[in-house]
Amino acid sequence: MASGEAELAAFAHAVYPGLDRYTYYQLLRVPPEADARAVRASYYKIAAQLHPDRYHKLANPLMRDQLESIYARVCEAYRVLTSPEKRAVYDRGLAQGKMRYDAGDRGPQGPRNPDDSFSDPQAKKFFRLGMMCLGQKDWKGAVMNFNFAKTFAPDSPILAEKLAEAQAGGKPR
């Protein structure tokens, strides 16, 4: 890796144009089967040489920008390869030719919003009103709104569950 200004310039000139063609493994100079400890050790060695504090006073702003981009990609590689979940997603993407981690490939995150299951806007509206009443422990209001929602979405299991909860006075069945 680079240490002096001339070496940094040569390194940036060699790596930056092909930055999008490097895998995270190549950027961190580790084999794909490397464990988190090997990834971490390699990252710290590379980060020490490429850290922006080493070149922030360089006169050439283009070279500074290139080095910052390389450093940012090295940091991205480290974050992905040291997280088992992200690494698994990255490896699947890499097998499909994707060189970078795509957070959109993670699949659904967190619980689904229950009212997303309603396609009818009226069912959704009354379901939300019923949920608000449940939150305020207004059991009669909740039952009324869930019944209104049921006229627009009669086969909804979540609606049936929440209606039963409201009818029971807040005690889940």
Side-chain angles (χ1 to χ4, degrees):
M1 200 62 64
S3 58
E5 188 172 330
E7 290 177 33
L8 276 170
F11 175 76
H13 182 70
V15 174
Y16 183 78
L19 189 57
D20 289 332
R21 292 190 303 263
Y22 289 102
T23 67
Y24 291 160
Y25 298 106
Q26 291 169 325
L27 285 171
L28 292 178
R29 298 180 175 171
V30 294
E33 59 276 356
D35 64 0
R37 187 173 18 193
V39 169
R40 188 174 298 110
S42 182
Y43 165 75
Y44 282 123
K45 181 178 176 184
I46 294 168
Q49 296 169 338
L50 285 179
H51 195 276
D53 288 347
R54 295 195 58 148
Y55 54 81
H56 73 280
K57 292 182 181 178
L58 290 178
N60 184 340
L62 178 63
M63 187 170 62
R64 272 197 319 264
D65 289 346
Q66 290 176 350
L67 288 167
E68 286 174 11
S69 295
I70 295 168
Y71 179 75
R73 189 69 58 89
V74 166
C75 292
E76 177 182 315
Y78 171 72
R79 283 191 304 273
V80 170
L81 296 183
T82 55
S83 166
E85 297 83 19
K86 290 179 181 178
R87 186 172 183 167
V89 170
Y90 174 70
D91 286 341
R92 285 193 301 272
L94 193 57
Q96 298 170 357
K98 296 180 182 177
M99 302 304 267
R100 294 185 70 186
Y101 173 73
D102 182 4
D105 290 342
R106 296 180 302 174
Q109 298 294 308
R112 281 192 58 219
N113 191 351
D115 63 19
D116 287 344
S117 62
F118 299 104
S119 58
D120 186 284
Q122 293 296 320
K124 188 179 281 199
K125 176 179 99 175
F126 286 116
F127 180 79
R128 286 180 180 161
L129 289 169
M131 292 300 291
M132 286 173 44
C133 290
L134 268 185
Q136 296 168 353
K137 299 184 187 323
D138 174 8
W139 312 121
K140 286 183 182 180
V143 168
M144 179 185 70
N145 281 296
F146 288 142
N147 277 323
F148 284 146
K150 198 169 176 94
T151 62
F152 299 101
D155 299 325
S156 170
I158 186 74
L159 185 54
E161 176 188 327
K162 293 300 179 181
L163 177 60
E165 183 181 334
Q167 289 169 334
K171 299 175 189 98
R173 290 182 153 187

